[in-house]
Amino acid sequence: MDQQENLYIVDSRNHRIQKLTKDGKFLAKWGQLGSGEGEFDSPWGIALDGQGFVYVVDHANHRVQKFTPDGEFVAKFGSHGTDAGQLNHPSDVSVDPDGDVYVCDWGNNRVQIFAPDGKFLATLVGDAQQLGKWHQDVVNANLDNQRARRRANLSMEWSLQMPRGVTFDPAKDRIIIADTQRGRLQIYDKPKNYMEPQLNL
């Protein structure tokens, strides 16, 4: 929802965004199936920044698009691939008060971070040191699982696996990632007051 309490909805199967009042009155819509500016292929996540710009995860086009509140195309973030700044079926997006953009790079098992101008800044691949509760219960319930885990490369357990959601908590300056296949959240603090903003990450 924006500051006027208007609701922006990702209408994924219709490849568009719809804008409604908080009471459900239709205001606007934009987008259609395609790969051009302002077009979508299965849009998924959505977020607004402090200035009211709308960020839409264009899932099957492997990018995030930025729009005005009325649906005018402004910019895009990412392209298809596995390199830094590239995306593979992204699933969610969030924007912090500094304007940095966090994208769940679902198919690449990571979160990509972009500056407000679209420049790639950093990648989060996961740093958890313990299993999620339900995963730990499965290991504890079976001796074969415990033995297999002792033989495994446990560094893989730290990493993100198909992250589905990301949000920025401005009250605590932290990034919260839904590490879906691992059954847990991974949370990163964003320190402040570095001379170079990209070193905050």
Side-chain angles (χ1 to χ4, degrees):
M1 299 188 80
D2 64 18
Q3 293 179 355
Q4 290 74 44
E5 296 190 309
N6 296 316
L7 179 65
Y8 295 79
I9 299 173
V10 177
D11 188 0
S12 185
R13 296 296 293 271
N14 284 321
H15 313 287
R16 66 186 180 186
I17 304 302
Q18 295 202 57
K19 181 178 178 181
L20 311 173
T21 67
K22 66 178 179 179
D23 300 319
K25 179 182 176 183
F26 174 80
L27 294 175
K29 65 180 178 180
W30 71 87
Q32 62 182 11
L33 180 61
S35 58
E37 293 180 356
E39 296 178 333
F40 303 109
D41 190 348
S42 305
W44 207 342
I46 192 167
L48 277 73
D49 68 15
Q51 297 177 305
F53 288 105
V54 181
Y55 298 73
V56 180
V57 173
D58 194 1
H59 180 73
N61 282 325
H62 314 285
R63 64 186 180 184
V64 171
Q65 295 192 69
K66 179 180 178 181
F67 299 92
T68 67
D70 297 319
E72 181 182 339
F73 175 84
V74 175
K76 75 170 185 132
F77 298 78
S79 62
H80 190 211
T82 59
D83 292 338
Q86 294 185 318
L87 304 169
N88 181 10
H89 291 93
S91 58
D92 199 15
V93 62
S94 187
V95 185
D96 72 17
D98 298 324
D100 291 332
V101 180
Y102 304 84
V103 181
C104 259
D105 191 3
W106 183 76
N108 286 325
N109 301 313
R110 62 190 181 184
V111 170
Q112 299 272 56
I113 306 172
F114 299 87
D117 63 1
K119 179 183 176 185
F120 170 75
L121 292 179
T123 298
L124 303 176
V125 295
D127 294 282
Q129 299 292 315
Q130 29 182 262
L131 294 174
K133 179 189 184 309
W134 304 115
H135 289 86
Q136 188 65 59
D137 287 349
V138 169
V139 171
N140 293 343
N142 187 306
L143 287 174
D144 289 333
N145 285 342
Q146 293 173 35
R147 291 187 190 106
R149 188 164 181 261
R150 285 195 293 268
R151 294 191 304 269
N153 177 4
L154 296 186
S155 65
M156 293 298 294
E157 291 182 356
W158 303 356
S159 63
L160 296 167
Q161 184 68 33
M162 298 177 122
R164 173 58 185 87
V166 63
T167 191
F168 190 86
D169 176 7
K172 295 188 176 181
D173 287 321
R174 62 185 186 174
I175 305 143
I176 304 172
I177 303 167
D179 191 3
T180 309
Q181 294 299 308
R182 306 282 193 212
R184 64 191 174 195
L185 300 175
Q186 293 209 39
I187 301 172
Y188 290 82
D189 292 323
K190 183 179 182 182
K192 296 289 187 180
N193 303 319
Y194 285 98
M195 292 296 290
E196 298 180 60
Q198 65 269 24
L199 296 181
N200 290 347
L201 303 168

